[in-house]
Amino acid sequence: MSKVKLNPKYAEAVAMIVNRSPYFSLLSMEINDLQWGASFLEIQVEEKHLQPFGFVHGGVIASIVDAATFWAVFPQVEKGLGLTTVELKVNFLAPTQKGKLAATGRCIRLGKTLALGDAEIRNNEGGLVAHGTATMMVVPDLKMSGDENFPPIRLK
């Protein structure tokens, strides 16, 4: 784990905006914690997440992987730069029908133009439901609405 400490007030500000965003609201997905190089997200499985056979749809799982990897990397990106996912790979390891899905995202590497993250998705019992990786491109002048009012990213 990194020795860099993310400012908890920054993490709260990001989570508040992201958790209220339309896509996160649609999926009932929430960022529960951000750290330097790590993210923790959850979805409480609801009927809207299920495919016709009664299991959580793969697109929901892929969305959690994408979000967990993205938010693990994002706090490390310099101010004034953004990220966008350019490649996503998901291994679906076990079906799930109910309960919570918890995602742990990790920044593997952040370069000048590309970043790599991975995520594990676990069920209520701690069983591994999916693992995935995402490659993200660093984009100049891509800003999140409201980020000009965010507290500093790092603790001093």
Side-chain angles (χ1 to χ4, degrees):
M1 198 88 182
S2 172
K3 293 181 182 182
V4 176
K5 296 289 183 192
L6 190 66
N7 180 349
K9 293 198 182 299
Y10 173 84
E12 288 172 21
V14 169
M16 186 170 65
I17 287 177
V18 174
N19 291 344
R20 292 181 184 166
S21 71
Y23 194 67
F24 267 60
S25 296
L26 178 69
L27 288 183
S28 303
M29 183 164 41
E30 290 188 346
I31 295 175
N32 287 338
D33 190 23
L34 284 178
Q35 296 177 12
W36 191 262
S39 68
F40 305 91
L41 287 75
E42 284 186 340
I43 286 182
Q44 177 65 47
V45 175
E46 299 175 25
E47 187 175 352
K48 68 182 177 181
H49 298 119
L50 305 179
Q51 39 88 312
F53 297 98
F55 295 103
V56 174
H57 192 282
V60 174
I61 302 292
S63 288
I64 301 169
V65 169
D66 186 30
T69 56
F70 183 96
W71 293 107
V73 172
F74 183 79
Q76 298 180 62
V77 174
E78 289 182 35
K79 191 165 181 69
L81 300 176
L83 288 173
T84 190
T85 302
V86 295
E87 188 264 344
L88 181 67
K89 181 187 184 307
V90 180
N91 291 103
F92 301 98
L93 303 170
T96 191
Q97 296 178 298
K98 59 184 176 184
K100 265 189 187 156
L101 293 175
T104 302
R106 178 175 65 117
C107 176
I108 296 173
R109 185 174 192 286
L110 173 60
K112 291 182 181 187
T113 58
L114 292 175
L116 179 65
D118 78 341
E120 291 185 349
I121 314 302
R122 296 190 177 270
N123 61 21
N124 278 350
E125 293 77 39
L128 190 59
V129 171
H131 175 266
T133 59
T135 304
M136 291 148 272
M137 180 174 60
V138 178
V139 181
D141 300 320
L142 183 62
K143 296 178 183 179
M144 182 172 22
S145 177
D147 73 350
E148 63 277 352
N149 298 319
F150 282 177
I153 295 172
R154 294 183 181 117
L155 286 176
K156 299 202 182 217

